[in-house]
Amino acid sequence: MASTNNVTELIITGLFQDPEVQRACFVLFLPVYLTTVVGNGLIIVTVSVSKTLHSPMYFFLGYLSLVEICYSSTVVPKFITDLLAKIKTISLKGCLTQIFFFHFFRVTEILLLVVMAYDCYVAICKPLHYMNIISHQVCNMLVAGSWLGGFIHSIMQVLVTVPLPYCGPNVIDHYFCDLQPLFKLACTDTFVEGIVVLANSGLISVLSLIILVSSYVIILSSLRNHSAEGRHKALSTCASHITAVILFFGPAIFLYMRPSSTFTVDKLVAVFYTVITPMLNPIIYTLRNAEVKIAMRKLWGRRNSRLE
C-alpha cells in the first residue's frame, strides 16, 4: 500500500494534563537531566584522561556513559520543554527521527551491557588469558559491533513504520514518539507491523537477557574457587553490572513483553527508563568502585591546582 499522509504534525498528550503538575515535573526533571549529562560526562572525561583507567572495563564504561547521554538526550530535552508548553507538537518526520535514535541508542546500550558482561566473565573465569582475549583490537570491534547492531535494529524498525499511511487523528497518547503509540494513528491495520517490531525488539532483549543471566550465573559459581579478597573485588564489580542490567531490563520487560495498552502507568515506567536510569548509572559504577573515585579526585585536584 502506498503511503498517503494527510498528517504532517502530531500532538503529544504528555505525561500529565494539569499545568501545575507539569511545572512541578519541569522543576524535578531538569536537574535530573543535567545530572545525567554531567555525571556521565565526568565518567567519559575521567576514563579518557586518567592513566589508571585504561583497562577494557573502563573503556566499555566510557562508551556506555556516552550512549547514556545520547539516549537520554533523544527524549528528555523535548519532554522537559513540552512541560511548559500548552500545546505539545512534533512533525511526523521529527517523530520518526526520534523513534530511530531512541531505538538506536537503546539497543546499542543493551549490546554494550552484554559486552561488559563478557569482559567480566573473561576477567574472572579466564584471568591468565584475559589480555590475549580482550585485546585493544577486540575492544574496538566489540564497541563497533554494538553501535552497528543498534543501527541495524533501528533501521529495521523505521523501515516498517515509514510506509504506513497516517490520515488522522494526529494525537499521540504519550510524552515522546514510540512505535506502538504511532501505530495507533495509522489508517490501516498494523497487526503485522506490530508483530514485526515486537519480534525485533523482543528477540534482541530476550537473547541479550539470557546471555547476561547465564554469564553472571557462571561468574558467581566460579567465585567459590577464588580467595576472599578476589571474591570481594569480583562481587563488587559484578554487583554494579547486575544492578545496571536489572534497572535496564526491568521496565523493558514490563512494557514490551505484554499486549499494548493505554495505562497511565506505562508512561510512568517510561519516565523511569528514559529519565531516571541514565542518571543512576554513573552512581552505580562509581559508588562501589574505588579506582574510579580515586581517579575523579585526582582529576578534580588537578583542576583546582590549575585554577589557583
Side-chain angles (χ1 to χ4, degrees), residues 68-110:
E68 289 284 18
I69 293 174
C70 296
Y71 170 64
S72 182
S73 297
T74 301
V75 173
V76 180
K78 176 161 178 54
F79 166 53
I80 291 174
T81 54
D82 280 348
L83 289 170
L84 300 180
K86 290 184 178 179
I87 301 177
K88 307 164 181 57
T89 61
I90 187 171
S91 67
L92 181 59
K93 290 182 179 179
C95 183
L96 292 170
T97 301
Q98 189 178 62
I99 288 173
F100 171 81
F101 284 108
F102 175 76
H103 283 266
F104 173 39
F105 292 123
R106 187 159 180 81
V107 170
T108 301
E109 183 175 357
I110 290 176

Side-chain angles (χ1 to χ4, degrees), residues 24-181:
C25 288
F26 176 85
V27 173
L28 173 64
F29 292 136
L30 179 59
V32 171
Y33 174 66
L34 295 177
T35 302
T36 298
V37 175
V38 172
N40 284 287
L42 184 58
I43 288 179
I44 295 170
V45 172
T46 303
V47 170
S48 301
V49 172
S50 176
K51 296 179 180 179
T52 61
L53 301 181
H54 283 173
S55 68
M57 179 178 73
Y58 298 116
F59 177 78
F60 297 136
L61 178 58
Y63 276 101
L64 181 68
S65 296
L66 175 61
V67 170
E68 289 284 18
I69 293 174
C70 296
Y71 170 64
S72 182
S73 297
T74 301
V75 173
V76 180
K78 176 161 178 54
F79 166 53
I80 291 174
T81 54
D82 280 348
L83 289 170
L84 300 180
K86 290 184 178 179
I87 301 177
K88 307 164 181 57
T89 61
I90 187 171
S91 67
L92 181 59
K93 290 182 179 179
C95 183
L96 292 170
T97 301
Q98 189 178 62
I99 288 173
F100 171 81
F101 284 108
F102 175 76
H103 283 266
F104 173 39
F105 292 123
R106 187 159 180 81
V107 170
T108 301
E109 183 175 357
I110 290 176
L111 297 178
L112 279 175
L113 289 172
V114 173
V115 166
M116 293 176 77
Y118 174 66
D119 172 67
C120 192
Y121 161 76
V122 176
I124 293 173
C125 299
K126 299 184 179 180
L128 298 179
H129 304 284
Y130 180 76
M131 295 310 297
N132 291 328
I133 297 174
I134 311 292
S135 63
H136 184 67
Q137 183 179 3
V138 170
C139 289
N140 288 328
M141 289 176 61
L142 289 172
V143 169
S146 299
W147 287 98
L148 181 61
F151 179 79
I152 292 172
H153 162 80
S154 194
I155 280 290
M156 291 174 63
Q157 302 291 70
V158 170
L159 287 178
V160 170
T161 309
V162 167
L164 293 173
Y166 301 97
C167 46
N170 67 333
V171 179
I172 288 186
D173 186 19
H174 216 307
Y175 66 88
F176 69 97
C177 285
D178 203 1
L179 291 167
Q180 293 300 333

Side-chain angles (χ1 to χ4, degrees), residues 4-19:
T4 306
N5 290 332
N6 297 328
V7 174
T8 58
E9 188 176 63
L10 304 171
I11 297 174
I12 300 172
T13 59
L15 188 60
F16 298 107
Q17 303 303 315
D18 189 324

